[in-house]
Amino acid sequence: MEKGERKNTEIGTPQGSVASPLLANIYLHYLFDLWVDVWRKKCARGEVIVVRYADDNVLGFQHRADADRFLEDFRERARKFGLELHPDKTRRIEFGRFAEQDRKRRGEGKPETFDFLGFTHISGKDRNGSFALKRQTISKRMRVRLLEIKQQLRRRMHDPVAQTGAWLRSVVQGYFNYHAVPGNIDSMSIFRYRVTRLWRSVLNYGFCIYAAAKGVKTALARVGTQPTATGLNDLLETSTEFESRLGYDAYVERARRYSR
């Protein structure tokens, strides 16, 4: 099903379907897992570390020659199955315990970073100056998540505050459960600060709407008119005059129009 139109396909799996990751794992088990285990034993000169999650892979090689040979062999392996590696997501980088000192000796910059499972992995150092793998939340992913929370808060603006607060707490708790890893405290602090600001802005907006509603009702009482339910609700939901700060008289005039 694509854009409301049903299409029968004989190749691949539907994008975003429940079966896609399951079928991909079964397929990659034979295409990648079993093959890389044999390749590591027969072809590698040094140690090889393999981490795969669905169709995302990270491999570590002790020797650069092994990395270059594996990349060439795996491209050929994928080509036999009608697949190809994503050119923008497939990289060979120098990373690890000796990467920084080796690059410094050659007059090159700091080791490159790579993204995997929502984290940017950095070749860094601990307080003692020893090598330490650092992980930080991918900035782009955080911005997307914050935008989703902002949109949800706008939709829930008229829900009870306690209900929205409970929902927001579960969202933040789930985010922290995954992203709160050693060395990621700065990203967590930024996320918490921005979520707090979003929550406060929604509460402040709700208070302003409430204050505007009281002002409208008071104005109508003074001029001796009664607003219709539909008109008043529309007035309070849009609140154009209030947000643009046109003042009390503009509210009274618009309330008169809705009450007719």
Side-chain angles (χ1 to χ4, degrees), residues 7 11 31 38 58 62 87 111 146 150-151 160 177 188 201 206 215 242:
K7 296 181 180 180
I11 301 177
L31 168 65
V38 174
V58 171
Q62 184 177 2
L146 288 170
K150 180 180 180 179
Q151 293 171 345
N177 287 345
M188 293 294 93
S201 67
F242 181 83

mmCIF file with all atom_site columns, all heavy atoms in Angstrom, residues 7 11 31 38 58 62 87 111 146 150-151 160 177 188 201 206 215 242:
data_model
loop_
_atom_site.group_PDB
_atom_site.id
_atom_site.type_symbol
_atom_site.label_atom_id
_atom_site.label_alt_id
_atom_site.label_comp_id
_atom_site.label_asym_id
_atom_site.label_entity_id
_atom_site.label_seq_id
_atom_site.pdbx_PDB_ins_code
_atom_site.Cartn_x
_atom_site.Cartn_y
_atom_site.Cartn_z
_atom_site.occupancy
_atom_site.B_iso_or_equiv
_atom_site.pdbx_formal_charge
_atom_site.auth_seq_id
_atom_site.auth_comp_id
_atom_site.auth_asym_id
_atom_site.auth_atom_id
_atom_site.pdbx_PDB_model_num
ATOM 1   N N   . LYS A 1 7   ? -0.174  -2.020  -4.394 1.00 0.00 ? 7   LYS A N   1
ATOM 2   C CA  . LYS A 1 7   ? 0.708   -2.473  -5.457 1.00 0.00 ? 7   LYS A CA  1
ATOM 3   C C   . LYS A 1 7   ? 1.297   -3.822  -5.081 1.00 0.00 ? 7   LYS A C   1
ATOM 4   O O   . LYS A 1 7   ? 1.773   -4.018  -3.965 1.00 0.00 ? 7   LYS A O   1
ATOM 5   C CB  . LYS A 1 7   ? 1.837   -1.454  -5.683 1.00 0.00 ? 7   LYS A CB  1
ATOM 6   C CG  . LYS A 1 7   ? 1.370   -0.093  -6.162 1.00 0.00 ? 7   LYS A CG  1
ATOM 7   C CD  . LYS A 1 7   ? 2.539   0.835   -6.389 1.00 0.00 ? 7   LYS A CD  1
ATOM 8   C CE  . LYS A 1 7   ? 2.074   2.201   -6.881 1.00 0.00 ? 7   LYS A CE  1
ATOM 9   N NZ  . LYS A 1 7   ? 3.214   3.131   -7.108 1.00 0.00 ? 7   LYS A NZ  1
ATOM 10  N N   . ILE A 1 11  ? 9.748   -8.006  -5.544 1.00 0.00 ? 11  ILE A N   1
ATOM 11  C CA  . ILE A 1 11  ? 11.115  -7.733  -5.091 1.00 0.00 ? 11  ILE A CA  1
ATOM 12  C C   . ILE A 1 11  ? 11.065  -6.796  -3.893 1.00 0.00 ? 11  ILE A C   1
ATOM 13  O O   . ILE A 1 11  ? 10.327  -5.812  -3.904 1.00 0.00 ? 11  ILE A O   1
ATOM 14  C CB  . ILE A 1 11  ? 11.954  -7.091  -6.212 1.00 0.00 ? 11  ILE A CB  1
ATOM 15  C CG1 . ILE A 1 11  ? 12.015  -8.020  -7.430 1.00 0.00 ? 11  ILE A CG1 1
ATOM 16  C CG2 . ILE A 1 11  ? 13.366  -6.791  -5.726 1.00 0.00 ? 11  ILE A CG2 1
ATOM 17  C CD1 . ILE A 1 11  ? 12.759  -7.421  -8.601 1.00 0.00 ? 11  ILE A CD1 1
ATOM 18  N N   . LEU A 1 31  ? 23.308  -13.576 4.102  1.00 0.00 ? 31  LEU A N   1
ATOM 19  C CA  . LEU A 1 31  ? 24.128  -12.705 3.260  1.00 0.00 ? 31  LEU A CA  1
ATOM 20  C C   . LEU A 1 31  ? 25.358  -12.207 3.994  1.00 0.00 ? 31  LEU A C   1
ATOM 21  O O   . LEU A 1 31  ? 26.453  -12.144 3.404  1.00 0.00 ? 31  LEU A O   1
ATOM 22  C CB  . LEU A 1 31  ? 23.284  -11.511 2.789  1.00 0.00 ? 31  LEU A CB  1
ATOM 23  C CG  . LEU A 1 31  ? 24.041  -10.343 2.137  1.00 0.00 ? 31  LEU A CG  1
ATOM 24  C CD1 . LEU A 1 31  ? 24.677  -10.791 0.824  1.00 0.00 ? 31  LEU A CD1 1
ATOM 25  C CD2 . LEU A 1 31  ? 23.130  -9.156  1.927  1.00 0.00 ? 31  LEU A CD2 1
ATOM 26  N N   . VAL A 1 38  ? 33.035  -16.679 8.351  1.00 0.00 ? 38  VAL A N   1
ATOM 27  C CA  . VAL A 1 38  ? 33.998  -17.470 7.581  1.00 0.00 ? 38  VAL A CA  1
ATOM 28  C C   . VAL A 1 38  ? 35.137  -16.585 7.092  1.00 0.00 ? 38  VAL A C   1
ATOM 29  O O   . VAL A 1 38  ? 36.319  -16.961 7.145  1.00 0.00 ? 38  VAL A O   1
ATOM 30  C CB  . VAL A 1 38  ? 33.286  -18.155 6.391  1.00 0.00 ? 38  VAL A CB  1
ATOM 31  C CG1 . VAL A 1 38  ? 34.314  -18.860 5.495  1.00 0.00 ? 38  VAL A CG1 1
ATOM 32  C CG2 . VAL A 1 38  ? 32.248  -19.151 6.899  1.00 0.00 ? 38  VAL A CG2 1
ATOM 33  N N   . VAL A 1 58  ? 28.738  -2.022  12.016 1.00 0.00 ? 58  VAL A N   1
ATOM 34  C CA  . VAL A 1 58  ? 30.009  -1.387  12.346 1.00 0.00 ? 58  VAL A CA  1
ATOM 35  C C   . VAL A 1 58  ? 31.032  -2.502  12.523 1.00 0.00 ? 58  VAL A C   1
ATOM 36  O O   . VAL A 1 58  ? 30.800  -3.458  13.262 1.00 0.00 ? 58  VAL A O   1
ATOM 37  C CB  . VAL A 1 58  ? 29.920  -0.548  13.643 1.00 0.00 ? 58  VAL A CB  1
ATOM 38  C CG1 . VAL A 1 58  ? 31.313  -0.087  14.059 1.00 0.00 ? 58  VAL A CG1 1
ATOM 39  C CG2 . VAL A 1 58  ? 29.023  0.654   13.436 1.00 0.00 ? 58  VAL A CG2 1
ATOM 40  N N   . GLN A 1 62  ? 41.957  -4.638  13.112 1.00 0.00 ? 62  GLN A N   1
ATOM 41  C CA  . GLN A 1 62  ? 43.238  -4.311  13.711 1.00 0.00 ? 62  GLN A CA  1
ATOM 42  C C   . GLN A 1 62  ? 44.199  -3.728  12.674 1.00 0.00 ? 62  GLN A C   1
ATOM 43  O O   . GLN A 1 62  ? 44.993  -2.831  12.984 1.00 0.00 ? 62  GLN A O   1
ATOM 44  C CB  . GLN A 1 62  ? 43.857  -5.559  14.341 1.00 0.00 ? 62  GLN A CB  1
ATOM 45  C CG  . GLN A 1 62  ? 45.156  -5.300  15.076 1.00 0.00 ? 62  GLN A CG  1
ATOM 46  C CD  . GLN A 1 62  ? 45.688  -6.559  15.747 1.00 0.00 ? 62  GLN A CD  1
ATOM 47  O OE1 . GLN A 1 62  ? 45.091  -7.641  15.629 1.00 0.00 ? 62  GLN A OE1 1
ATOM 48  N NE2 . GLN A 1 62  ? 46.806  -6.430  16.436 1.00 0.00 ? 62  GLN A NE2 1
ATOM 49  N N   . PRO A 1 87  ? 26.615  4.659   -0.620 1.00 0.00 ? 87  PRO A N   1
ATOM 50  C CA  . PRO A 1 87  ? 27.903  5.366   -0.740 1.00 0.00 ? 87  PRO A CA  1
ATOM 51  C C   . PRO A 1 87  ? 28.145  6.406   0.335  1.00 0.00 ? 87  PRO A C   1
ATOM 52  O O   . PRO A 1 87  ? 29.302  6.663   0.710  1.00 0.00 ? 87  PRO A O   1
ATOM 53  C CB  . PRO A 1 87  ? 27.806  6.019   -2.134 1.00 0.00 ? 87  PRO A CB  1
ATOM 54  C CG  . PRO A 1 87  ? 26.338  6.111   -2.408 1.00 0.00 ? 87  PRO A CG  1
ATOM 55  C CD  . PRO A 1 87  ? 25.708  4.926   -1.744 1.00 0.00 ? 87  PRO A CD  1
ATOM 56  N N   . PRO A 1 111 ? 40.825  12.059  14.922 1.00 0.00 ? 111 PRO A N   1
ATOM 57  C CA  . PRO A 1 111 ? 40.116  10.950  14.266 1.00 0.00 ? 111 PRO A CA  1
ATOM 58  C C   . PRO A 1 111 ? 38.672  11.322  13.934 1.00 0.00 ? 111 PRO A C   1
ATOM 59  O O   . PRO A 1 111 ? 38.032  12.088  14.656 1.00 0.00 ? 111 PRO A O   1
ATOM 60  C CB  . PRO A 1 111 ? 40.165  9.832   15.321 1.00 0.00 ? 111 PRO A CB  1
ATOM 61  C CG  . PRO A 1 111 ? 41.331  10.167  16.183 1.00 0.00 ? 111 PRO A CG  1
ATOM 62  C CD  . PRO A 1 111 ? 41.387  11.666  16.222 1.00 0.00 ? 111 PRO A CD  1
ATOM 63  N N   . LEU A 1 146 ? 12.739  16.830  19.627 1.00 0.00 ? 146 LEU A N   1
ATOM 64  C CA  . LEU A 1 146 ? 12.209  18.029  20.274 1.00 0.00 ? 146 LEU A CA  1
ATOM 65  C C   . LEU A 1 146 ? 11.065  18.634  19.460 1.00 0.00 ? 146 LEU A C   1
ATOM 66  O O   . LEU A 1 146 ? 10.074  19.119  20.027 1.00 0.00 ? 146 LEU A O   1
ATOM 67  C CB  . LEU A 1 146 ? 13.320  19.061  20.463 1.00 0.00 ? 146 LEU A CB  1
ATOM 68  C CG  . LEU A 1 146 ? 14.356  18.733  21.548 1.00 0.00 ? 146 LEU A CG  1
ATOM 69  C CD1 . LEU A 1 146 ? 15.528  19.699  21.475 1.00 0.00 ? 146 LEU A CD1 1
ATOM 70  C CD2 . LEU A 1 146 ? 13.718  18.774  22.935 1.00 0.00 ? 146 LEU A CD2 1
ATOM 71  N N   . LYS A 1 150 ? 7.259   19.211  20.723 1.00 0.00 ? 150 LYS A N   1
ATOM 72  C CA  . LYS A 1 150 ? 6.609   20.522  20.606 1.00 0.00 ? 150 LYS A CA  1
ATOM 73  C C   . LYS A 1 150 ? 5.256   20.406  19.923 1.00 0.00 ? 150 LYS A C   1
ATOM 74  O O   . LYS A 1 150 ? 4.256   20.999  20.375 1.00 0.00 ? 150 LYS A O   1
ATOM 75  C CB  . LYS A 1 150 ? 7.515   21.468  19.821 1.00 0.00 ? 150 LYS A CB  1
ATOM 76  C CG  . LYS A 1 150 ? 6.932   22.869  19.631 1.00 0.00 ? 150 LYS A CG  1
ATOM 77  C CD  . LYS A 1 150 ? 7.889   23.749  18.854 1.00 0.00 ? 150 LYS A CD  1
ATOM 78  C CE  . LYS A 1 150 ? 7.313   25.149  18.657 1.00 0.00 ? 150 LYS A CE  1
ATOM 79  N NZ  . LYS A 1 150 ? 8.260   26.020  17.909 1.00 0.00 ? 150 LYS A NZ  1
ATOM 80  N N   . GLN A 1 151 ? 5.193   19.644  18.851 1.00 0.00 ? 151 GLN A N   1
ATOM 81  C CA  . GLN A 1 151 ? 3.931   19.466  18.126 1.00 0.00 ? 151 GLN A CA  1
ATOM 82  C C   . GLN A 1 151 ? 2.898   18.737  18.977 1.00 0.00 ? 151 GLN A C   1
ATOM 83  O O   . GLN A 1 151 ? 1.712   19.088  18.961 1.00 0.00 ? 151 GLN A O   1
ATOM 84  C CB  . GLN A 1 151 ? 4.201   18.713  16.822 1.00 0.00 ? 151 GLN A CB  1
ATOM 85  C CG  . GLN A 1 151 ? 5.032   19.500  15.821 1.00 0.00 ? 151 GLN A CG  1
ATOM 86  C CD  . GLN A 1 151 ? 5.464   18.671  14.636 1.00 0.00 ? 151 GLN A CD  1
ATOM 87  O OE1 . GLN A 1 151 ? 5.389   17.441  14.651 1.00 0.00 ? 151 GLN A OE1 1
ATOM 88  N NE2 . GLN A 1 151 ? 5.926   19.331  13.586 1.00 0.00 ? 151 GLN A NE2 1
ATOM 89  N N   . PRO A 1 160 ? -6.093  18.280  30.339 1.00 0.00 ? 160 PRO A N   1
ATOM 90  C CA  . PRO A 1 160 ? -5.735  18.609  31.726 1.00 0.00 ? 160 PRO A CA  1
ATOM 91  C C   . PRO A 1 160 ? -4.219  18.646  31.918 1.00 0.00 ? 160 PRO A C   1
ATOM 92  O O   . PRO A 1 160 ? -3.496  17.822  31.337 1.00 0.00 ? 160 PRO A O   1
ATOM 93  C CB  . PRO A 1 160 ? -6.372  17.466  32.525 1.00 0.00 ? 160 PRO A CB  1
ATOM 94  C CG  . PRO A 1 160 ? -7.504  17.001  31.677 1.00 0.00 ? 160 PRO A CG  1
ATOM 95  C CD  . PRO A 1 160 ? -7.041  17.150  30.256 1.00 0.00 ? 160 PRO A CD  1
ATOM 96  N N   . ASN A 1 177 ? 16.253  6.802   29.424 1.00 0.00 ? 177 ASN A N   1
ATOM 97  C CA  . ASN A 1 177 ? 16.589  5.386   29.595 1.00 0.00 ? 177 ASN A CA  1
ATOM 98  C C   . ASN A 1 177 ? 17.507  4.890   28.483 1.00 0.00 ? 177 ASN A C   1
ATOM 99  O O   . ASN A 1 177 ? 18.353  4.022   28.705 1.00 0.00 ? 177 ASN A O   1
ATOM 100 C CB  . ASN A 1 177 ? 15.316  4.539   29.628 1.00 0.00 ? 177 ASN A CB  1
ATOM 101 C CG  . ASN A 1 177 ? 14.548  4.711   30.921 1.00 0.00 ? 177 ASN A CG  1
ATOM 102 O OD1 . ASN A 1 177 ? 15.074  5.240   31.910 1.00 0.00 ? 177 ASN A OD1 1
ATOM 103 N ND2 . ASN A 1 177 ? 13.302  4.280   30.936 1.00 0.00 ? 177 ASN A ND2 1
ATOM 104 N N   . MET A 1 188 ? 22.204  15.315  27.496 1.00 0.00 ? 188 MET A N   1
ATOM 105 C CA  . MET A 1 188 ? 21.025  15.097  28.332 1.00 0.00 ? 188 MET A CA  1
ATOM 106 C C   . MET A 1 188 ? 20.571  16.398  28.982 1.00 0.00 ? 188 MET A C   1
ATOM 107 O O   . MET A 1 188 ? 19.363  16.666  29.091 1.00 0.00 ? 188 MET A O   1
ATOM 108 C CB  . MET A 1 188 ? 21.342  14.054  29.416 1.00 0.00 ? 188 MET A CB  1
ATOM 109 C CG  . MET A 1 188 ? 21.599  12.653  28.891 1.00 0.00 ? 188 MET A CG  1
ATOM 110 S SD  . MET A 1 188 ? 20.129  11.901  28.147 1.00 0.00 ? 188 MET A SD  1
ATOM 111 C CE  . MET A 1 188 ? 20.360  12.369  26.419 1.00 0.00 ? 188 MET A CE  1
ATOM 112 N N   . SER A 1 201 ? 6.424   27.116  28.035 1.00 0.00 ? 201 SER A N   1
ATOM 113 C CA  . SER A 1 201 ? 5.785   27.979  27.034 1.00 0.00 ? 201 SER A CA  1
ATOM 114 C C   . SER A 1 201 ? 4.336   27.575  26.815 1.00 0.00 ? 201 SER A C   1
ATOM 115 O O   . SER A 1 201 ? 3.468   28.443  26.641 1.00 0.00 ? 201 SER A O   1
ATOM 116 C CB  . SER A 1 201 ? 6.559   27.907  25.718 1.00 0.00 ? 201 SER A CB  1
ATOM 117 O OG  . SER A 1 201 ? 6.457   26.624  25.125 1.00 0.00 ? 201 SER A OG  1
ATOM 118 N N   . GLY A 1 206 ? -1.318  28.772  27.786 1.00 0.00 ? 206 GLY A N   1
ATOM 119 C CA  . GLY A 1 206 ? -2.621  28.409  28.330 1.00 0.00 ? 206 GLY A CA  1
ATOM 120 C C   . GLY A 1 206 ? -3.112  29.420  29.351 1.00 0.00 ? 206 GLY A C   1
ATOM 121 O O   . GLY A 1 206 ? -4.299  29.770  29.387 1.00 0.00 ? 206 GLY A O   1
ATOM 122 N N   . GLY A 1 215 ? -11.105 38.303  30.359 1.00 0.00 ? 215 GLY A N   1
ATOM 123 C CA  . GLY A 1 215 ? -11.247 39.677  29.902 1.00 0.00 ? 215 GLY A CA  1
ATOM 124 C C   . GLY A 1 215 ? -12.404 39.843  28.940 1.00 0.00 ? 215 GLY A C   1
ATOM 125 O O   . GLY A 1 215 ? -13.160 40.818  29.010 1.00 0.00 ? 215 GLY A O   1
ATOM 126 N N   . PHE A 1 242 ? -5.036  38.866  20.834 1.00 0.00 ? 242 PHE A N   1
ATOM 127 C CA  . PHE A 1 242 ? -4.249  38.785  22.060 1.00 0.00 ? 242 PHE A CA  1
ATOM 128 C C   . PHE A 1 242 ? -2.769  38.585  21.744 1.00 0.00 ? 242 PHE A C   1
ATOM 129 O O   . PHE A 1 242 ? -1.898  39.233  22.329 1.00 0.00 ? 242 PHE A O   1
ATOM 130 C CB  . PHE A 1 242 ? -4.757  37.636  22.934 1.00 0.00 ? 242 PHE A CB  1
ATOM 131 C CG  . PHE A 1 242 ? -3.997  37.508  24.228 1.00 0.00 ? 242 PHE A CG  1
ATOM 132 C CD1 . PHE A 1 242 ? -4.324  38.297  25.317 1.00 0.00 ? 242 PHE A CD1 1
ATOM 133 C CD2 . PHE A 1 242 ? -2.943  36.620  24.340 1.00 0.00 ? 242 PHE A CD2 1
ATOM 134 C CE1 . PHE A 1 242 ? -3.622  38.184  26.501 1.00 0.00 ? 242 PHE A CE1 1
ATOM 135 C CE2 . PHE A 1 242 ? -2.244  36.507  25.523 1.00 0.00 ? 242 PHE A CE2 1
ATOM 136 C CZ  . PHE A 1 242 ? -2.585  37.289  26.613 1.00 0.00 ? 242 PHE A CZ  1
#
